[in-house]
Structure formats: structure tokens, C-alpha cells
Amino acid sequence: MRAPTPRSDESVFSRFFRREPKQSRSRAAVDAVIQATEDLVARGKAIEDLSIELLSERAGVAMGSFYEYFSGKDSVVGVLIGRVTRANFDHLSAALAAAHHETLEALIRDFSRTVVDAYLAHPKRTRMLIDGIARLGLLGVVSEERDRFALEMAKHAMRFLPDEEPARVEATMRLAADTAMGILGFAAHRGGDIDHAKMADELAEIGLHLIRRHHPRASK
Amino acid sequence: MRAPTPRSDESVFSRFFRREPKQSRSRAAVDAVIQATEDLVARGKAIEDLSIELLSERAGVAMGSFYEYFSGKDSVVGVLIGRVTRANFDHLSAALAAAHHETLEALIRDFSRTVVDAYLAHPKRTRMLIDGIARLGLLGVVSEERDRFALEMAKHAMRFLPDEEPARVEATMRLAADTAMGILGFAAHRGGDIDHAKMADELAEIGLHLIRRHHPRASK
């Protein structure tokens, strides 16, 4: 096993704060604002329809406190994107680490399902995040997170591909991650009902196809 | 053959003009500004580094004329994105219509190559466009273009899949288009050298995999 991949620069997201909360009381206020925003968005509220008044009120935080930590709505959205990106990454990494798959196929299938469930659990939130990531110029940061995640995947897949070059397995996993994000991201953006099991199956089949194609010696 | 898919609302892009050019002389001035912007971007200039002065000077247009048609840089970028989106769509549709493929596999392989060449001919321009599309909130418009294009693809593929439900072929082509855009878009965004033939091969293999999986009766 290689050393853990370094975490992408935290300051990318912390720069969205006007001032970072240090004390537990100010952290609680910030958390309440982020939580209120997330709840409203998950219920289908568009960012345009959120006002600082509404967010502060829902969070039970005075407007003055709001402006101590956030400069405005985009500041909240930037921090929220950072938190969700981190939470998704941690959740997926933990799921990878906890599972003990007997075969590469089982790993890929189980993992596809975990990814779909994580990203589509709140499709409205995902859509808002995609738009926010785009608008705030965070595509690069999210790309890095995805690449970092592909490395984690490669580490796990290597158990079943002992004779393959790590760099080639990593390239395959990057391709699989790009594909998954293309399909999931566009589906979430398009809206409408999505059948998680079917979508997971789709991603798993593409992932297995990529592995078979690029690593024909792969143990089944 | 069904009726042609209606064109997505032109006004989506024309709203980026402060005032739309009507006379041929004003159209020429606008074209010169767009062309100058495209050239600078293709040579690696970042949008942040472009000034209205520079664009006007390169275009040989007075600053006064510039502001007659554009309200600023984002206004130029919006119009440019609209033109490139339309040009890509027309180019790809024409390529599909002109070719007479003997097999579905030949259609998919040839088409994958055309798509890769179109999107990666100017990777820096593509990267700028992706960022611009994101920043200006145009993801939805581009999604619609992609879906519209998947319908065109489906019409051509139907020749080889006469017994399949059109709606199912369309769904497969949408999936293929999402995958291709995921892979191409992220690759262009990541930067670095991309081997067109290898990338086209990758996309074709995924497309064929999707067809085999969802249309097992497909004629080869």
C-alpha cells in the first residue's frame, strides 16, 4: 500500500468564509446556517430564492452574526460545497475500506451502488451543488477530488490485479470516475426520477467493461 | 424518419448581446470581436487576462462600437459559447448525414473520432468554454443540445436496429453522449496532451458496449 494521497488544499473552501469560526459557539452558528441552507435546497428551493434573511431566520442566527462569518449567499454556497465534497469523499472512502470483497466484480458493483446512493440521495441538492460548483469556478477543485478518489479505487482494485502496472490501473479508474460523474452529474442535472439500482448497474457494467478492456488478464 | 428536432431557443444565446447587430457592417464588427476572442483563447489566454481594450484593438473595432453590441467580457463569452455550440452541432450533424456506414460499428467508430476531433481540436478553447458555460449558468442549455444531438444519433442508429423501440435507442444514445461528454470534458479540463485516436477508440468501445448491452439483438 502506498502512502495516503494528500488532501486537496482545505483553504480552497475556507476562503469562502469572511471569517472562519474558531469558538464552539461560532462554529454552531455557522453549522446552523449551512444546515438550514442544505435543508431548503434539498426541499427544492433555488439558490436565487434564498435570502440572507430567510437563512438567518431558519438557522436561528442574527443577521449580524451571519455577516460575521459569511459575506453573502455565495459564501454560504461555497462552504456548503466544500463540506458536501468532503463528506462524500469520506463516506465513499470508508465504504471502500470497510468492505471485504471476494472478487473485483463484487467490489465494482457494490461500489457503484454506494456512489449512486450518495450522489442521488438528494438529487435537488446535487443539482444545486453542480450549478454552484460551476458558477463559483470550482470545477478544478472537484476534478482533483475525483482524481484523488480514483487513486483510492485503484489501490483497492490492485488487490485483484497484482500483475498490472499501478499507473495503468489508476488510468482505468480515472476513466471510470469520469464516466460515472458524466452519467450521474448529467442525470441529476436533467432532473426527473432516477432508478438507483438501474443506474448503479449501468455504472458497474461500464466499469467492468473498462477493466476487461484495459486489463485483460484481470482475475474475475 | 421523424420530424427534425426543434432547435433550442436561439434567444438563450442572443440575450448575451447588449444589442443584436442587424446591418452587415455591425455584424462584421461583432464577428471580428468574437474571432479575436477565440484566437486569443485558443492561444492559451485566460479570460481573466482579456481586456475590452485588447479585444477591441485585435478586432480593429473602436471601443465605442464594442459597447454598442456587448455589455462586457461575459457578454462576448456568452455569444462565443453560443456560436461554438451551434457550429459543433452543425458540424457533427453534417458528418452524420454525409457518411454512409455499412455497419453500426463503423458508424459508432467514425462518429467517435469526429466528436473527439471537434472537441479537442482546440483544447484550450474547450477548457475556456467549459468554464464559461459553467460560470454563466449555461449547463442546462448545453444539456439540451446534447440531448438533441443524441436524438440525431438515434435516428442514424435506428437504421441498424429496425426492431428496437425508438425510445430505448434514444435512451442508449443519451447515455453514450453523457459518457462521451464526461470523459472528453474532464480530459479537456484536466489539460495535458490527449491522444485523439486512443480517446476516440475509448469512446467507441464504451458506445458499442452500451449498444450490445441494451440492444442484444443489434445487427453487427
Side-chain angles (χ1 to χ4, degrees):
Chain A
M1 286 263 166
R2 64 189 63 199
T5 326
R7 177 124 236 157
S8 74
D9 189 358
E10 300 267 315
S11 69
V12 172
F13 293 110
S14 65
R15 74 175 155 86
F16 284 100
F17 279 117
R18 160 172 279 170
R19 184 156 77 79
E20 275 198 82
K22 302 275 179 224
Q23 295 170 320
S24 67
R25 211 169 58 115
S26 44
R27 275 204 298 270
V30 160
D31 288 350
V33 170
I34 298 291
Q35 190 60 55
T37 309
E38 204 174 340
D39 291 345
L40 288 163
V41 164
R43 268 186 274 140
K45 271 274 188 201
I47 294 290
E48 307 90 85
D49 300 333
L50 300 179
S51 64
I52 308 297
E53 287 86 343
L54 179 63
L55 296 182
S56 307
E57 191 203 299
R58 288 296 178 104
V61 162
M63 295 259 284
S65 305
F66 180 98
Y67 282 112
E68 252 182 81
Y69 304 106
F70 300 106
S71 52
K73 235 175 359 178
D74 278 351
S75 164
V76 179
V77 173
V79 173
L80 174 58
I81 290 170
R83 293 205 176 177
V84 173
T85 304
R86 138 90 52 115
N88 277 342
F89 188 96
D90 289 347
H91 170 67
L92 297 174
S93 291
L96 268 183
H100 296 284
H101 300 98
E102 297 282 318
T103 63
L104 184 52
E105 178 163 347
L107 168 72
I108 299 290
R109 287 197 185 282
D110 182 37
F111 189 63
S112 298
R113 183 63 202 237
T114 309
V115 167
V116 168
D117 287 343
Y119 283 91
L120 299 180
H122 310 286
K124 281 173 185 151
R125 190 184 77 172
T126 301
R127 191 189 165 131
M128 178 290 269
L129 290 172
I130 293 172
D131 286 332
I133 284 164
R135 206 164 36 81
L136 300 178
L138 293 170
L139 284 178
V141 183
V142 173
S143 268
E144 277 165 36
E145 286 288 309
R146 199 178 49 248
D147 286 351
R148 223 159 61 79
F149 193 75
L151 282 186
E152 292 284 310
M153 270 298 288
K155 278 200 302 203
H156 288 274
M158 282 299 292
R159 275 200 294 138
F160 302 101
L161 301 165
D163 302 328
E164 298 291 300
E165 282 252 32
R168 296 206 49 206
V169 178
E170 286 162 14
T172 305
M173 292 301 155
R174 260 199 307 278
L175 213 46
D178 284 359
T179 309
M181 284 302 111
I183 292 179
L184 273 177
F186 294 132
H189 201 268
R190 215 175 256 134
D193 275 341
I194 300 166
D195 179 333
H196 287 209
K198 222 175 117 189
M199 174 73 82
D201 197 38
E202 203 70 73
L203 297 189
E205 289 292 342
I206 295 176
L208 290 167
H209 159 78
L210 288 171
I211 289 170
R212 276 184 218 113
R213 174 163 146 71
H214 292 288
H215 310 283
R217 293 174 301 174
S219 57
K220 278 294 161 65
Chain B
M1 287 262 163
R2 64 190 61 197
T5 328
R7 179 124 234 158
S8 74
D9 190 358
E10 301 267 314
S11 68
V12 172
F13 292 110
S14 65
R15 76 176 154 84
F16 285 100
F17 279 118
R18 162 172 278 171
R19 182 157 79 77
E20 276 198 80
K22 302 277 182 226
Q23 293 169 323
S24 65
R25 212 169 58 116
S26 44
R27 275 204 299 270
V30 160
D31 289 350
V33 170
I34 298 292
Q35 190 60 54
T37 310
E38 203 172 342
D39 291 346
L40 288 163
V41 164
R43 266 185 276 139
K45 272 274 189 200
I47 294 290
E48 307 90 85
D49 300 333
L50 300 179
S51 64
I52 308 297
E53 287 84 342
L54 178 63
L55 296 182
S56 307
E57 191 204 298
R58 288 295 179 107
V61 161
M63 295 259 286
S65 305
F66 180 98
Y67 282 113
E68 253 181 80
Y69 304 107
F70 300 106
S71 53
K73 234 174 3 178
D74 278 352
S75 164
V76 179
V77 173
V79 172
L80 175 58
I81 289 170
R83 293 205 177 178
V84 174
T85 304
R86 137 90 52 113
N88 276 343
F89 188 97
D90 289 348
H91 171 69
L92 297 174
S93 291
L96 269 182
H100 297 283
H101 299 98
E102 298 280 319
T103 62
L104 183 53
E105 179 164 346
L107 167 72
I108 300 290
R109 289 200 184 280
D110 181 38
F111 189 64
S112 297
R113 183 66 203 235
T114 309
V115 168
V116 169
D117 287 342
Y119 283 91
L120 299 181
H122 310 285
K124 282 172 184 152
R125 189 184 76 172
T126 301
R127 191 187 166 134
M128 178 294 268
L129 290 173
I130 293 172
D131 286 334
I133 284 164
R135 207 165 35 82
L136 300 178
L138 293 170
L139 284 179
V141 182
V142 173
S143 266
E144 277 167 35
E145 286 288 308
R146 198 179 49 250
D147 286 351
R148 224 159 61 79
F149 194 73
L151 281 186
E152 292 284 310
M153 270 300 286
K155 277 199 303 203
H156 288 274
M158 282 299 290
R159 275 201 296 137
F160 302 100
L161 302 163
D163 302 327
E164 297 292 298
E165 281 251 33
R168 295 207 49 207
V169 178
E170 286 162 15
T172 305
M173 291 303 153
R174 261 199 306 276
L175 212 47
D178 284 0
T179 309
M181 285 302 110
I183 292 179
L184 274 177
F186 294 132
H189 201 269
R190 216 175 256 135
D193 276 341
I194 300 166
D195 179 332
H196 287 209
K198 222 175 118 190
M199 175 72 83
D201 198 39
E202 203 70 75
L203 298 188
E205 290 292 340
I206 295 176
L208 291 166
H209 159 79
L210 288 170
I211 290 170
R212 278 185 216 111
R213 174 162 145 71
H214 291 288
H215 311 282
R217 294 174 301 174
S219 56
K220 280 292 160 70

